[in-house]
């Protein structure tokens, strides 16, 4: 039976409220049950609090969450910040802190960063219609969808109408065609809701390639991985279903079809370094940096709210707001969240059991973030 929070089928990644990244996206203040955290009796931090003022890692809560059981077979958690370093792996996962894993939809944070860098360079605009960048791929009959709408999941794209299956030799162009081919419904217009959709980030990945003249994989390396020294972070080339050694779990072949939407491989130290650089202002100029935590108007009524740059947000029990992204690919369900200044970061990845439900996955993500941050 398909794991409800760890789909491997390409088309299942677009089903609202069912795919792992969507189910886990409900990490909001309303989702913080008292039983999910030990922070309910914590006094609020001062308004001027920084990462250095954070509480110690709740090791007891994390130990309970990480113990192999009905929800997960194995779990890795890494927490760092001023005066804090807590790293642990439990169950049938590698004890090597540099072990790699497929980060799934956390890839979108890298895609968003590259797009915002291109905006800062004047090579793309947030108001630029994607049809102007990709006139051969986007139907002229569609009402204009802008780069900014794709970033913030306010494009109006619905479910793909074309077939998407592993083993089809999927390319980004073939995936996008599942929305754009003749007979597919046009995106919602006017757009009335924020709707998480991986198709937005396939279009952004293709826009990156069209504007730069380089591959998406090369732009991630050139703009993010190489400058930050992320030696274990990369976009697998087409056809490369392998995992590097060591991998967090026993490797299983996986086609890298998810690409700019969810196809990257990394490890916990690299993800942490990226999060600190991104939220710490090292990758974007101030105007684009502000987009990371700016909430679109449509996010106010969204069940799954995302920032203007596609980040998820959670408010902890002490009032602190954190930012990041979850992801699910192959056997991994993962996430990375940080304080707004990027100084305190949690990165986790676990191997969900077939019995794990979407509601349990939400509660698990909330509890991990709360105990760590």
């Amino acid at each position: 039976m398909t794991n409800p929070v760890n789909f491997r089928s390409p088309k299942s990644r677009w089903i609202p409220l069912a795919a792992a990244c969507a189910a886990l996206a409900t990490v909001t203040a309303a989702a913080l049950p008292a039983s999910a955290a030990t922070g309910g009796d914590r006094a609020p931090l001062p308004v001027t609090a920084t990462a250095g003022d954070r509480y110690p890692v709740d090791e007891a809560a994390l130990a309970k969450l990480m113990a192999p059981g009905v929800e997960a077979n194995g779990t890795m958690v890494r927490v760092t910040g001023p005066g804090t370093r807590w790293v642990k792996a439990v169950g049938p996962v590698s004890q090597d802190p540099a072990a790699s894993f497929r980060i799934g939809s956390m890839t979108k944070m890298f895609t968003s960063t590259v797009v915002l860098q291109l905006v800062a360079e004047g090579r793309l605009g947030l108001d630029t219609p994607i049809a102007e960048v990709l006139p051969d791929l986007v139907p002229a009959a569609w009402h204009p969808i802008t780069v900014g709408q794709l970033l913030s999941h306010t494009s109006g794209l619905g479910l793909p109408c074309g077939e998407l299956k592993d083993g089809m030799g999927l390319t980004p162009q073939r995936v996008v065609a599942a929305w754009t081919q003749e007979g597919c419904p046009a995106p919602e217009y006017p757009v009335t809701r924020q709707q998480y959709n991986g198709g937005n980030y396939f279009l952004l990945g293709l826009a990156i390639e069209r504007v730069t003249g380089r591959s998406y994989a090369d732009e991630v390396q050139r703009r993010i991985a190489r400058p930050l020294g992320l030696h274990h972070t990369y976009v697998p080339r087409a056809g490369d279903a392998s995992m590097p050694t060591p991998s967090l779990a026993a490797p299983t072949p996986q086609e890298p079809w998810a690409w700019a939407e969810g196809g990257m491989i990394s490890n916990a130290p690299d993800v942490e370094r990226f999060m600190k650089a991104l939220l710490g202002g090292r990758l974007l100029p101030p105007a684009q940096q502000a987009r990371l935590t700016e909430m679109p108007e449509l996010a106010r009524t969204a069940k799954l709210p995302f920032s203007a740059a596609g980040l998820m947000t959670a408010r902890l029990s002490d009032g602190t707001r954190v930012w990041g992204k979850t992801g699910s690919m192959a056997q991994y369900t993962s996430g990375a969240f940080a304080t707004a200044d990027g100084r305190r970061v949690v990165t986790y990845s676990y191997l969900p059991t077939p019995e794990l439900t979407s509601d349990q996955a939400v509660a698990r993500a909330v509890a991990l973030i709360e105990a760590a941050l």
Side-chain angles (χ1 to χ4, degrees):
M1 183 178 76
T2 305
N3 186 336
V5 293
N6 198 28
F7 285 114
R8 295 184 63 181
S9 163
K11 191 164 184 177
S12 69
R13 294 180 69 82
W14 325 123
I15 300 175
L17 301 174
C21 45
L24 293 178
T26 49
V27 183
T28 63
L32 282 171
S35 59
T38 61
D41 57 350
R42 290 175 173 175
L45 289 170
V47 174
T48 56
T50 68
D53 300 311
R54 299 302 307 155
Y55 302 100
V57 172
D58 191 335
E59 297 186 28
L62 285 177
K64 184 177 180 180
L65 286 163
M66 296 173 68
V70 297
E71 295 183 352
N73 294 315
T75 303
M76 176 278 301
V77 176
R78 177 185 180 92
V79 188
T80 61
T84 299
R85 186 178 186 277
W86 194 91
V87 182
K88 192 170 184 178
V90 175
V93 294
S94 174
Q95 296 296 311
D96 191 325
S100 296
F101 56 96
R102 298 186 188 276
I103 67 173
S105 286
M106 293 159 65
T107 300
K108 291 182 179 67
M109 293 191 290
F110 291 81
T111 305
S112 176
T113 300
V114 175
V115 169
L116 289 173
Q117 288 178 345
L118 292 170
V119 170
E121 295 164 10
R123 303 171 75 180
L124 280 175
L126 293 173
D127 294 328
T128 300
I130 193 64
E132 290 185 6
V133 185
L134 304 170
D136 52 327
L137 296 177
V138 178
W142 282 9
H143 286 280
I145 294 174
T146 67
V147 168
Q149 288 176 311
L150 294 171
L151 283 171
S152 63
H153 297 292
T154 56
S155 66
L157 280 183
L159 293 176
C161 70
E163 188 176 36
L164 296 172
K165 291 183 179 178
D166 282 330
M168 291 179 62
L170 293 174
T171 64
Q173 291 79 5
R174 289 188 67 181
V175 172
V176 167
W179 279 272
T180 61
Q181 63 193 13
E182 186 176 353
C184 290
E188 178 189 36
Y189 184 85
V191 181
T192 61
R193 58 180 177 160
Q194 187 180 55
Q195 178 70 62
Y196 184 88
N197 195 313
N200 294 324
Y201 278 69
F202 273 99
L203 287 167
L204 290 171
L206 289 168
I208 289 169
E209 294 195 334
R210 188 67 58 89
V211 167
T212 65
R214 302 183 183 90
S215 73
Y216 169 73
D218 287 345
E219 285 299 286
V220 169
Q221 285 298 311
R222 189 173 76 88
R223 292 172 173 272
I224 302 174
R226 198 172 299 128
L228 296 182
L230 309 183
H231 302 301
H232 302 272
T233 299
Y234 66 99
V235 181
R237 302 290 179 177
D240 181 5
S242 66
M243 280 291 294
T245 302
S247 61
L248 186 60
T252 58
Q254 173 66 49
E255 293 185 26
W257 58 266
W259 194 55
E261 183 271 334
M264 288 181 63
I265 291 172
S266 188
N267 67 6
D270 274 15
V271 170
E272 170 201 295
R273 192 174 300 120
F274 167 71
M275 293 295 291
K276 288 183 175 180
L278 179 63
L279 289 166
R282 292 176 54 196
L283 292 172
L284 297 170
Q288 287 69 45
Q289 185 76 14
R291 304 289 294 184
L292 297 177
T293 56
E294 178 185 326
M295 299 303 288
E297 185 64 30
L298 289 176
R300 294 178 181 273
T301 56
K303 292 182 179 179
L304 311 173
F306 292 84
S307 78
L311 269 62
M312 293 160 50
T313 185
R315 190 179 295 279
L316 305 182
S317 61
D318 65 8
T320 301
R321 187 168 286 282
V322 296
W323 304 85
K325 189 70 182 69
T326 57
S328 184
M329 178 56 72
Q331 68 266 58
Y332 302 104
T333 292
S334 313
F337 286 81
T339 51
D341 58 7
R343 298 178 68 201
R344 177 84 168 248
V345 182
V346 58
T347 306
Y348 67 84
S349 186
Y350 65 88
L351 312 180
T353 65
E355 293 77 26
L356 182 68
T357 68
S358 294
D359 286 346
Q360 288 172 330
V362 170
R364 183 177 180 82
V366 171
L368 284 168
I369 296 166
E370 177 80 16
L373 298 182

